[in-house]
Amino acid sequence: MEGKRSLRHKEIKGGGDIFLDNIKKGVVPKHIAIIMDGNGRWAKKRGLPRLSGHKAGLKHIQEILKTAQEVGVEYITLYAFSVENWQRPKDEVKGLMRLLKDNISNELERVHKNGIRVNILGRWHDLETDIIDELEKAVRLTSGNTQGTVNLALNYGGRTEIIDAVKKISHEVIKGEIGPDDIDEKMIGEHLYSAGIPDPDLLIRTSGELRISNFLLWQIAYTEIWVTPVLWPDFGRNDFLSAIADFQKRRRRYGGLDEDYG
Ligand code: IPE
Ligand code: IPE
Ligand code: MG
């Protein structure tokens, strides 16, 4: 706990780095969720197969994780594969799963060395055994880390997550452990895949689409949204810091009024 808390108050080093200097004085979001979109278009623009786009997209995730850690973002949630993505051609799905598995296996050591904890959100136990093994290994190895958390949304759907939570709660009601009137926001939150993780402060979507695509439907009720036309494989450290700078200009009212209103 102590390690996590100290991250938030860590002084951000800037010193001539205009993007870093820009955010030094503001509040850094505790949790940033990212819809990593545009891999296919990135590849198409270059006359490459879609899988090359996915490969390029996975390659620089580390850069974003490192920047997040540098500025004190405690949680990063990455949308890697949705329950709807199974509708894509078999070859793309198969290739993407292999890339994901290899990427986790190749990057795990570095993630662990940097003190980052790995969580998986979604129906990931329905994936192929080799990828489940890799994911379990990542979760197990990093479970004690306190220098930041990365949540991978894999075989994830926001509606599916709510359905799974409702099922779990229903079983508890049937067993008599709780009554229907005990159900409130807190209880639903505690039965989601994201139990124990604060709601995202900022949601980033790359590649310009103005939609949520079934991501974290419950959790983003009051999340600030930032969309960039930049395609995910081109999205780098400075884009990430620009999103934070924009977040710092927002006024979050949660349905109330600004303190200085009137
Ligand atoms: C995002 O890139 C990665 C996944 C959805 C797995 P896309 O593959 O959706 O790229 P576009 O939207 O076709 O450009
Ligand atoms: C959202 O992107 C899912 C991921 C980034 C994993 P999609 O490309 O699947 O979303 P749509 O189809 O454009 O809404
Ligand atoms: Mg897409």
Side-chain angles (χ1 to χ4, degrees), residues 35-37 79-82 85 88 205 211 213:
I35 303 178
M36 310 185 287
D37 196 17
Y79 204 2
F81 193 86
S82 75
N85 288 146
R88 296 188 179 197
R205 182 164 191 153
R211 56 176 171 261
S213 302

Side-chain angles (χ1 to χ4, degrees), residues 86-241:
W86 294 108
Q87 296 170 52
R88 296 188 179 197
K90 268 206 177 78
D91 282 355
E92 179 174 348
V93 172
K94 217 170 147 218
L96 186 52
M97 285 298 161
R98 186 178 42 80
L99 286 174
L100 282 167
K101 180 187 158 279
D102 291 349
N103 198 260
I104 294 159
S105 134
N106 295 337
E107 300 297 337
L108 181 58
E109 206 175 308
R110 186 148 42 136
V111 167
H112 183 48
K113 221 172 94 199
N114 291 336
I116 296 175
R117 190 159 61 109
V118 179
N119 267 329
I120 321 291
L121 314 181
R123 288 184 177 170
W124 59 282
H125 284 103
D126 293 344
L127 299 171
E128 303 251 333
T129 347
D130 58 345
I131 190 162
I132 296 175
D133 290 347
E134 212 58 62
L135 294 168
E136 267 170 355
K137 187 173 152 202
V139 172
R140 204 180 331 110
L141 180 71
T142 64
S143 64
N145 290 348
T146 57
Q147 298 305 302
T149 298
V150 60
N151 304 304
L152 277 184
L154 250 181
N155 197 17
Y156 175 88
R159 288 184 172 181
T160 315
E161 179 176 32
I162 294 169
I163 291 168
D164 288 349
V166 171
K167 282 185 185 168
K168 282 185 230 160
I169 292 172
S170 305
H171 284 299
E172 290 173 24
V173 172
I174 288 168
K175 281 191 264 168
E177 290 166 6
I178 53 167
D181 292 330
D182 295 327
I183 300 169
D184 57 11
E185 283 192 16
K186 186 167 172 277
M187 183 177 289
I188 292 182
E190 283 166 358
H191 288 78
L192 295 172
Y193 308 139
S194 61
I197 299 165
D199 290 343
D201 302 292
L202 175 64
L203 171 70
I204 295 175
R205 182 164 191 153
T206 59
S207 91
E209 307 294 355
L210 298 175
R211 56 176 171 261
I212 298 300
S213 302
N214 203 9
F215 193 37
L216 303 175
L217 296 180
W218 176 273
Q219 298 88 338
I220 59 168
Y222 273 102
T223 298
E224 297 295 325
I225 299 176
W226 189 81
V227 177
T228 173
V230 174
L231 304 174
W232 176 252
D234 291 327
F235 186 87
R237 176 181 191 275
N238 293 345
D239 298 297
F240 184 74
L241 294 175

Side-chain angles (χ1 to χ4, degrees), residues 45-93:
K45 259 175 53 181
R46 288 162 179 76
L48 297 169
R50 291 181 58 84
L51 274 180
S52 307
H54 294 313
K55 202 169 174 187
L58 285 169
K59 213 163 156 184
H60 70 152
I61 286 179
Q62 286 287 356
E63 182 189 339
I64 301 303
L65 294 185
K66 195 168 150 256
T67 311
Q69 209 170 26
E70 186 185 358
V71 301
V73 176
E74 291 180 43
Y75 299 86
I76 291 282
T77 300
L78 301 171
Y79 204 2
F81 193 86
S82 75
V83 289
E84 284 82 19
N85 288 146
W86 294 108
Q87 296 170 52
R88 296 188 179 197
K90 268 206 177 78
D91 282 355
E92 179 174 348
V93 172

